[in-house]
Amino acid sequence: MNRIDRLTAILVKLQSKRTTSAQEISEHFDISLRTVYRDIRALGEAGVPIGLDQGKGYFIVEGYHLPPVMLNKEEAGAVLLAGKLIEKMGDKSVSEGFNSALAKIRSVLSGDQRDFVENLDKYVSVIQRDAPVNDEFPDHFLADIKLALVGNQVLEFDYYSKYKDNYNSRQVEPFGLVFYGGHWHLFAYCRLRQGIRDFRTDRIMKLVVQEEKFEQKFSGDYKSLIQDLVQGSEVQQVRVAFSKKVAPFISEQRYYYGYVSEEVVEDKVIMTYMAGNLNYFARWLMMFGADVDVLEPDELREEVVGFMDELTRHYSADLLADH
């Protein structure tokens, strides 16, 4: 990246956040701190009003705005791809918000860039199994959850427990929103259970953002905390070994079951999943017969063996009846 492009990119980065540290700029653009200081000074000399908040970083003085930024084809294409993913992996509130933002972005594209995006749109799609429509779960709460997260506001909602097959009312103090296992999950301190809980957002009903604000009980790295919680929540790690014969045929299916990673070991492909329902996962594995081995956990192996015994009894009874 030449210096002119870098100065423009630094200016965009400064305007995208309240404060940006010199270290952050250095790491983002892979330049020395000395170069960062020189570039900031050059922007100031060019008339950009840049301030310094000691201990936090640089900021652009309130009231100064860049003229509309023109995207290149690569950037415009990346925005389109992001929109395709959001359409499938977000709820209605997020999808509508992004589509509105995308329309504004397209309005500042040049004619060639608009043509490029429209043509690219014809060739790009995200295919994902759609969840059955359930009018009880409105599918539009992500926008409200985001507001509550930023504003430290209490959320109240009815939550459906799949395992107990019932609903109960919760008041929670949210601190994280994470997408894993094919669903969005809200991590929050639950006042009912007096502890941290993981709530799947597609099981939430009647959500209301309360006026009441709370003080965060947790400090430090939220992402590390959430990562630990995911490992210990209702999902658990599953490792299975598929034969190389069938592994190529499950490339798309794996993502419906919490796929994480894979490695090739001799004539096997060992896949790791974070599964939420071992009974459901075992039913899926049954279709691969002897071409799959359960490595862990033992509970999943027992589920598979249980299904095999059930099938054996079922068909043995049919054979005896025939004779």
Side-chain angles (χ1 to χ4, degrees):
M1 180 184 291
N2 62 47
R3 192 180 186 215
I4 296 299
D5 289 341
R6 187 176 71 242
L7 288 174
T8 302
I10 289 175
L11 185 52
V12 171
K13 187 169 184 63
L14 287 172
Q15 186 150 343
S16 69
K17 297 178 64 177
R18 187 175 294 275
T19 58
T20 306
S21 70
Q23 185 64 40
E24 186 178 348
I25 296 172
S26 171
E27 292 174 356
H28 183 83
F29 294 99
D30 193 23
I31 56 178
S32 67
L33 286 173
R34 184 176 179 180
T35 301
V36 172
Y37 301 142
R38 189 167 60 244
D39 286 351
I40 293 294
R41 187 167 58 251
L43 288 171
E45 291 171 353
V48 179
I50 298 177
L52 175 63
D53 188 345
Q54 291 293 343
K56 294 185 178 180
Y58 295 104
F59 63 91
I60 294 181
V61 174
E62 192 73 27
Y64 177 87
H65 295 285
L66 288 171
V69 178
M70 299 302 292
L71 305 180
N72 59 36
K73 288 183 178 179
E74 289 76 13
E75 293 167 337
V79 171
L80 174 68
L81 293 179
K84 295 287 185 180
L85 290 171
I86 288 174
E87 185 179 358
K88 286 293 183 181
M89 297 181 182
D91 69 2
K92 291 178 181 177
S93 66
V94 174
S95 298
E96 289 172 0
F98 188 86
N99 287 335
S100 175
L102 184 57
K104 293 177 181 178
I105 291 172
R106 287 188 174 187
S107 70
V108 301
L109 297 178
S110 67
D112 289 344
Q113 291 168 332
R114 276 198 299 271
D115 291 342
F116 173 79
V117 170
E118 289 174 4
N119 287 328
L120 180 62
D121 196 8
K122 301 173 185 176
Y123 302 104
V124 177
S125 61
V126 175
I127 299 175
Q128 179 173 301
R129 182 178 61 180
D130 293 327
V133 176
N134 188 335
D135 293 336
E136 288 186 292
F137 301 97
D139 188 37
H140 62 213
F141 291 138
L142 285 184
D144 289 336
I145 291 172
K146 290 186 296 180
L147 292 175
L149 281 167
V150 175
N152 284 354
Q153 290 174 270
V154 173
L155 287 171
E156 185 170 354
F157 52 79
D158 289 345
Y159 189 70
Y160 171 68
S161 172
K162 184 175 181 180
Y163 299 111
K164 295 182 179 180
D165 191 26
N166 62 13
Y167 300 83
N168 50 57
S169 180
R170 304 292 185 99
Q171 272 200 349
V172 305
E173 301 170 9
F175 67 87
L177 187 62
V178 183
F179 186 87
Y180 74 87
H183 301 279
W184 283 102
H185 294 248
L186 168 66
F187 284 86
Y189 176 82
C190 177
R191 291 179 172 179
L192 176 66
R193 303 302 186 200
Q194 295 291 297
I196 298 172
R197 291 294 185 270
D198 172 358
F199 302 97
R200 266 181 47 175
T201 60
D202 61 326
R203 296 179 185 169
I204 289 176
M205 299 168 52
K206 302 177 183 176
L207 181 141
V208 177
V209 180
Q210 302 293 318
E211 293 295 327
E212 179 187 355
K213 292 183 179 289
F214 64 92
E215 184 175 346
Q216 284 287 1
K217 292 180 171 62
F218 314 101
S219 59
D221 187 350
Y222 289 145
K223 291 183 179 180
S224 295
L225 172 61
I226 290 173
Q227 183 67 30
D228 293 340
L229 292 171
V230 168
Q231 299 298 328
S233 66
E234 65 181 83
V235 297
Q236 57 183 301
Q237 179 171 288
V238 166
R239 294 179 69 246
V240 292
F242 291 96
S243 71
K244 285 187 175 179
K245 180 176 71 175
V246 302
F249 300 105
I250 61 172
S251 59
E252 293 301 326
Q253 296 177 43
R254 70 184 74 180
Y255 298 106
Y256 303 147
Y257 298 91
Y259 170 80
V260 176
S261 63
E262 68 180 54
E263 60 176 326
V264 178
V265 179
E266 297 178 349
D267 61 339
K268 303 284 187 181
V269 179
I270 299 176
M271 297 187 184
T272 300
Y273 294 79
M274 295 302 294
N277 187 321
L278 295 185
N279 182 279
Y280 183 62
F281 199 93
R283 290 178 185 274
W284 175 58
L285 292 182
M286 290 290 292
M287 67 184 292
F288 299 106
D291 285 303
V292 61
D293 292 317
V294 176
L295 304 180
E296 62 172 280
D298 291 338
E299 292 87 347
L300 177 59
R301 190 179 296 110
E302 292 169 2
E303 289 278 358
V304 173
V305 171
F307 282 133
M308 292 173 61
D309 290 343
E310 184 180 329
L311 286 171
T312 300
R313 290 194 300 270
H314 175 73
Y315 286 106
S316 295
D318 286 347
L319 289 172
L320 289 173
D322 290 340
H323 292 289

